[in-house]
């Protein structure tokens, strides 16, 4: 599996696990905002933003970073 797809699948697994745990806390009468799970959800939000940036970069068409000066190159041949 390519690294970007692996990162997306692991992120979704972490997001689902954290969401289910927050739901369990709510049903137990504990507000997730007053529990350490809040920092985990904030961290996942940060990683989601970073992952979205990488997905956007991977969708961009690749382009050359340099151009070749053919006249200068023929002088060396």
């Amino acid at each position: 599996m390519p690294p970007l797809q692996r990162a997306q699948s692991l992120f979704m697994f972490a997001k689902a696990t954290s969401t289910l745990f927050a739901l369990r806390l709510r049903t137990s009468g504990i507000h997730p905002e007053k529990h350490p799970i809040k920092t985990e959800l904030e961290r996942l939000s940060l990683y989601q933003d970073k992952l979205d940036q990488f997905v956007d970069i991977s969708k961009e068409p690749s382009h050359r970073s340099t151009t070749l000066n053919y006249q200068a190159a023929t002088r060396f041949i």
Side-chain angles (χ1 to χ4, degrees), residues 13 15 20 23-24 31 37 39 44 49 55 60 64 67 69-70 74-75 77:
F13 180 68
K15 182 81 170 179
L20 287 173
L23 182 63
R24 182 176 179 264
H31 200 275
I37 191 70
T39 57
L44 285 174
D49 294 339
V55 168
E60 291 179 0
R64 292 188 217 176
T67 58
N69 184 344
Y70 292 106
T74 57
R75 286 186 287 208
I77 298 177

Side-chain angles (χ1 to χ4, degrees), residues 4 8 51-62:
L4 188 57
Q8 286 177 322
L51 191 58
D52 289 341
Q53 288 176 354
F54 286 125
V55 168
D56 291 342
I57 290 171
S58 71
K59 288 181 181 179
E60 291 179 0
S62 61

Side-chain angles (χ1 to χ4, degrees), residues 13-26 30-45:
F13 180 68
K15 182 81 170 179
T17 304
S18 298
T19 303
L20 287 173
F21 185 68
L23 182 63
R24 182 176 179 264
L25 287 175
R26 282 186 189 267
I30 302 170
H31 200 275
E33 293 292 322
K34 298 176 183 174
H35 193 273
I37 191 70
K38 177 184 175 187
T39 57
E40 178 68 17
L41 293 173
E42 290 171 353
R43 186 178 71 89
L44 285 174
S45 176

